[in-house]
Amino acid sequence: MSSNLQKTIQSNIKIQGVGLHSGLKGNLCLKPAPANSGIVFKRTDVDNHKSIIDGSYKNVSSPILCTKIVNSHGVSISTIEHLMAAFYGEGIDNILVEIDVPEIPIMDGSSFDFVEAIRSAGIEEQKSTKKFIKVLKKVEVKEGPKYISIEPLANDLIIDFEIIYKNPLIRTRRHEFKLSNGDLNSIYNSRTFCLYEDIDQIINQGLAKGGSLDNAIVVKENKILNDNGLRHRHEFVDHKILDCLGDLMLAGHRIFGHIKTSQGGHQLTNILLRDFLSNKSNWAIETLEKNLKNAEDASYIRPFAVNA
Ligand SMILES: [Zn+2]
């Protein structure tokens, strides 16, 4: 958050890997993109005119077990959240994400490989100023026992996440992540997880075809089936924070605000973004220099290329 200039990567990044849900091996290519173009996805295996999907919360469809975006032609890309979290944390504003299958590779189940690749490609500062979404009013969403809210906070992002599991090992855990404290590595390194008893049901839904102990933590009663256990003690809840960070990146700009959630997930974060951003009295566009543009001028986050 130290620089107020927009950022992209210095050179192309190529990554290969398998999709968690589809099991398909994909070639991912990240390319530098011009200022104010945002995060744009492109499916290189479909006709050119149908290939672009804007990285927007408006394009999220059925956010069950992963975040999937779809364009007006029905072309989709799944499991974008760990890549989006890497962009959020590394300060990337503009990038073209090319992929030749309908799912981003899961890698080790965390954002680690994406972050390493971005850091080794190098980050390029661009001439345009970063814009942020400043929260003006509290907005909350409740769905049964699940809850998420966003509240005003000056020049920072806090995600206060609580998970509640009946499983004796995961149990109830709560962790507060503050972006300015810079403890991103434990968030980046936290892998996705599931309960052993849920695996059959997930597979019956046609999901997790690429799932293995190499890309997910599997918990059976009070035991972790992966050889080396957890990477750190907050790994379960920190992965949920990672997912939340990635889903927030779909707002189009980083957010100055305080998120509180209990049992949140992809779906709840998307409902919150839709509620929060649909009412322009809830937020304003701000730059780090505090030179607030007038609301009409700023008027929107940025033009969405697809499904505007
Ligand atoms: Zn995840």
Side-chain angles (χ1 to χ4, degrees):
M1 303 268 277
S2 55
S3 166
N4 67 343
L5 292 174
Q6 292 181 28
K7 294 185 176 74
T8 188
I9 47 174
Q10 283 181 9
S11 56
N12 289 1
I13 295 169
K14 290 186 176 172
I15 295 173
Q16 281 191 331
V18 168
L20 173 63
H21 294 303
S22 62
L24 294 172
K25 189 172 174 185
N27 294 287
L28 176 68
C29 185
L30 309 179
K31 296 182 169 176
N36 299 308
S37 61
I39 313 293
V40 176
F41 290 77
K42 180 179 167 116
R43 279 274 302 275
T44 55
D45 58 324
V46 304
D47 289 351
N48 215 21
H49 73 285
K50 297 179 180 173
S51 63
I52 299 295
I53 314 173
D54 203 55
S56 164
Y57 69 97
K58 292 180 178 178
N59 289 336
V60 172
S61 76
S62 63
I64 309 295
L65 294 177
C66 75
T67 298
K68 175 179 175 179
I69 49 172
V70 59
N71 68 16
S72 58
H73 303 285
V75 174
S76 67
I77 301 177
S78 299
T79 321
I80 63 167
E81 59 271 22
H82 305 157
L83 182 61
M84 291 296 275
F87 297 155
Y88 201 119
E90 294 304 289
I92 301 293
D93 302 285
N94 306 299
I95 199 161
L96 177 63
V97 179
E98 292 187 348
I99 181 82
D100 59 355
V101 290
E103 188 173 15
I104 301 294
I106 189 65
M107 312 313 289
D108 69 348
S110 77
S111 294
F112 179 84
D113 289 313
F114 301 134
V115 171
E116 287 289 295
I118 289 166
R119 289 179 181 174
S120 61
I123 288 172
E124 176 127 330
E125 288 202 328
Q126 301 176 288
K127 292 205 168 74
S128 300
T129 308
K130 264 187 201 286
K131 292 175 185 143
F132 296 86
I133 297 168
K134 178 185 180 180
V135 181
L136 300 178
K137 278 187 208 161
K138 180 176 176 176
V139 174
E140 61 184 354
V141 176
K142 286 179 189 163
E143 272 199 354
K146 298 177 181 176
Y147 171 86
I148 190 165
S149 65
I150 189 165
E151 297 172 39
L153 178 72
N155 296 354
D156 209 343
L157 173 73
I158 292 176
I159 301 174
D160 178 353
F161 212 113
E162 180 183 59
I163 54 174
I164 300 173
Y165 278 73
K166 285 185 186 137
N167 176 277
L169 191 110
I170 305 177
R171 299 175 285 119
T172 294
R173 296 184 192 234
R174 185 174 170 183
H175 199 207
E176 186 182 275
F177 164 73
K178 188 175 185 183
L179 192 61
S180 63
N181 284 350
D183 182 25
L184 273 162
N185 285 333
S186 70
I187 304 289
Y188 287 150
N189 295 344
S190 296
R191 294 161 294 169
T192 192
F193 60 95
C194 70
L195 298 175
Y196 180 78
E197 62 260 36
D198 290 342
I199 291 177
D200 277 351
Q201 195 202 340
I202 295 169
I203 287 173
N204 287 339
Q205 289 176 280
L207 299 170
K209 288 182 185 135
S212 76
L213 291 174
D214 291 332
N215 55 37
I217 306 165
V218 180
V219 182
K220 187 176 183 183
E221 288 152 20
N222 56 4
K223 214 174 140 208
I224 290 169
L225 300 188
N226 309 64
D227 279 345
N228 297 318
L230 292 180
R231 289 178 174 170
H232 61 94
R233 71 188 183 97
H234 289 304
E235 190 166 2
F236 298 122
V237 68
D238 278 2
H239 185 80
K240 300 294 283 185
I241 292 171
L242 179 81
D243 282 342
C244 186
L245 200 62
D247 289 338
L248 291 177
M249 190 70 196
L250 292 164
H253 296 292
R254 287 172 189 76
I255 294 176
F256 289 150
H258 190 159
I259 304 268
K260 292 177 187 168
T261 181
S262 180
Q263 304 185 71
H266 302 302
Q267 190 155 28
L268 214 56
T269 307
N270 191 250
I271 294 169
L272 178 76
L273 282 182
R274 286 173 188 267
D275 282 5
F276 169 65
L277 293 169
S278 63
N279 184 342
K280 289 187 180 176
S281 68
N282 290 332
W283 54 272
I285 293 288
E286 192 178 55
T287 66
L288 274 184
E289 300 134 317
K290 300 231 193 286
N291 79 34
L292 263 171
K293 314 222 175 221
N294 79 53
E296 293 313 313
D297 160 52
S299 84
Y300 201 67
I301 303 184
R302 67 190 161 82
F304 290 106
V306 178
N307 286 359

